[in-house]
C-alpha cells in the first residue's frame, strides 16, 4: 500500500515536471534548438521544412505570406522571411533563462504580430510544424514535453492581448 | 579576385564600390566569419549574447555619443534595462541572420533590403553610423572570439552593412 502511494506520488511528480517549462526544461530546449537551428544553408532548409509543414496542415495560412511570396518557399523573398521569423524565435528561446529581457522581447513581438492580425490558432499550426521539424533535424533525443511547455511560454507572450 | 568582381557585378554594386578588394567578401572570408561567429553566438548561451550585444553598443555610444539619441524608444538611458538589452540582442540577431545567409546571395539581398527599409523608416539613422558600429564590432570581437580575423570580418561586415545603409542619408 505504502509502495503504491509512493509510486503514485512519484508518477505525479514526473507528470508535473514533464508539463512545465521550468529552468531545466529551458536549458534543454535552448540546447536542442541550437542544434536543430544550425547555421548557414542548413538553417534555411530547416526553416523551409517548418513552412512546408505549416502550409500542408493549414493551406489558408499561405494568404498571410503573399507579400513575401508564400506561393514559392524557394524564392529569395520567402527565404528572407523564414530566416526573419526563425531569428525572432531564436531570440526568445535564447532568452528563456533571462525572464526580464525575454518579456521585453515578447512585448515587442506582440506589437509586431498584432499589426498583422494573425488568427490565434495559427500559433498552434506553427507549433505542430515545429514539433515535427525539430526532431527531424535532431535525429534523436527530442524532449517533446519540454518543447511544448516552453513554446507555450513564448507563443503565449506573443499572442497576449 | 575574379570571382569577387563577378559577385559584385551580379549585385549591381560594382558601380558604387571603389575598390573590389576592400568590399569583397570571398567564399573563404565568409567561412572564416561564419566559423568565428557561430562559436560565440549560439542560443545556448544567453549571457554571452547579452554581454557582446551590450558591449558593442556601449562602445558605439562612447565613441559616437550622438547615436545614443536614436534609441530613446528602447530605454537607452538605462543600458541594463530589459528593453534596451532586448533591443541590443535584436540588432545583433539581425547580423546573425545576415551572416548565416552569406552563402545564399539572392536571399541575403532580399533580407538586407527589408532591413534597409526598416532603417530608412527611423528618423536620424545615417549611413555613417554603420561604419561606426562596424568599428565597435572590431573593438569587441577580438576579446570574445579566438583567432579573430579582422580583415575577413571587415570585408563581410561591409558587404552586409553597405546594403542596409544603401540609400540612407
Amino acid at each position: 500500500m505504502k509502495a503504491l502511494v509512493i509510486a503514485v506520488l512519484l508518477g505525479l511528480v514526473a507528470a508535473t515536471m514533464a508539463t512545465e517549462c521550468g529552468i531545466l526544461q529551458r536549458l534543454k530546449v535552448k540546447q536542442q534548438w541550437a542544434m536543430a537551428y544550425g547555421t548557414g544553408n542548413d538553417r534555411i532548409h530547416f526553416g523551409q521544412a517548418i513552412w512546408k509543414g505549416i502550409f500542408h496542415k493549414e493551406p489558408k495560412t499561405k494568404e498571410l505570406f503573399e507579400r513575401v511570396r508564400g506561393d514559392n518557399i524557394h524564392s529569395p523573398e520567402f527565404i528572407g522571411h523564414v530566416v526573419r521569423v526563425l531569428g525572432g524565435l531564436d531570440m526568445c528561446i535564447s532568452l528563456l533563462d533571462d525572464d526580464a529581457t525575454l518579456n521585453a522581447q515578447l512585448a515587442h513581438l506582440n506589437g509586431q504580430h498584432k499589426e498583422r492580425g494573425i488568427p490565434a490558432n495559427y500559433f498552434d499550426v506553427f507549433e505542430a510544424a515545429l514539433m515535427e521539424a525539430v526532431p527531424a533535424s535532431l535525429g534523436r533525443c527530442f524532449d517533446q514535453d519540454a518543447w511544448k511547455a516552453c513554446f507555450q511560454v513564448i507563443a503565449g507572450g506573443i499572442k497576449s492581448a | 579576385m575574379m570571382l569577387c568582381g563577378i559577385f559584385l557585378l551580379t549585385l549591381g554594386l560594382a558601380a558604387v564600390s571603389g575598390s573590389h578588394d576592400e568590399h569583397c567578401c570571398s567564399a573563404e572570408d565568409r567561412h572564416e566569419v561564419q566559423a568565428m561567429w557561430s562559436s560565440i553566438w549560439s542560443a545556448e548561451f544567453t549571457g554571452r549574447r547579452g554581454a557582446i550585444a551590450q558591449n558593442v553598443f556601449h562602445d558605439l555610444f562612447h565613441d559616437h555619443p550622438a547615436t545614443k539619441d536614436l534609441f530613446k524608444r528602447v530605454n537607452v538611458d538605462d543600458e541594463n534595462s530589459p528593453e534596451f538589452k532586448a533591443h541590443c540582442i535584436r540588432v545583433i540577431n539581425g547580423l546573425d541572420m545576415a551572416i548565416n545567409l552569406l552563402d545564399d546571395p539572392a536571399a541575403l539581398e532580399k533580407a538586407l533590403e527589408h532591413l534597409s527599409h526598416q532603417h530608412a523608416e527611423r528618423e536620424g539613422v545615417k549611413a555613417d553610423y554603420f561604419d561606426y558600429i562596424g568599428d565597435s564590432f572590431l573593438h569587441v570581437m577580438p576579446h570574445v572570439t579566438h583567432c579573430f580575423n579582422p580583415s575577413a570580418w571587415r570585408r563581410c561586415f561591409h558587404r552586409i552593412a553597405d546594403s542596409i545603409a544603401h540609400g540612407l542619408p
Side-chain angles (χ1 to χ4, degrees), chain B residues 47-93:
Chain B
R48 202 186 287 190
R49 284 186 171 189
I52 296 165
Q54 278 182 294
N55 270 285
V56 166
F57 277 93
H58 190 74
D59 185 277
L60 174 71
F61 300 151
H62 177 267
D63 289 353
H64 305 280
T67 57
K68 203 167 172 174
D69 287 343
L70 287 173
F71 305 102
K72 285 217 172 343
R73 208 178 47 92
V74 286
N75 203 7
V76 68
D77 291 331
D78 178 2
E79 286 184 35
N80 285 313
S81 64
E83 295 80 16
F84 189 66
K85 265 170 79 179
H87 166 79
C88 292
I89 301 177
R90 260 198 306 278
V91 170
I92 299 186
N93 237 34

Side-chain angles (χ1 to χ4, degrees), chain B residues 149-167:
Chain B
N149 177 339
S151 320
W153 175 269
R154 192 182 285 121
R155 286 190 288 269
C156 291
F157 184 88
H158 280 289
R159 161 75 193 86
I160 293 165
D162 291 354
S163 285
I164 303 174
H166 182 72

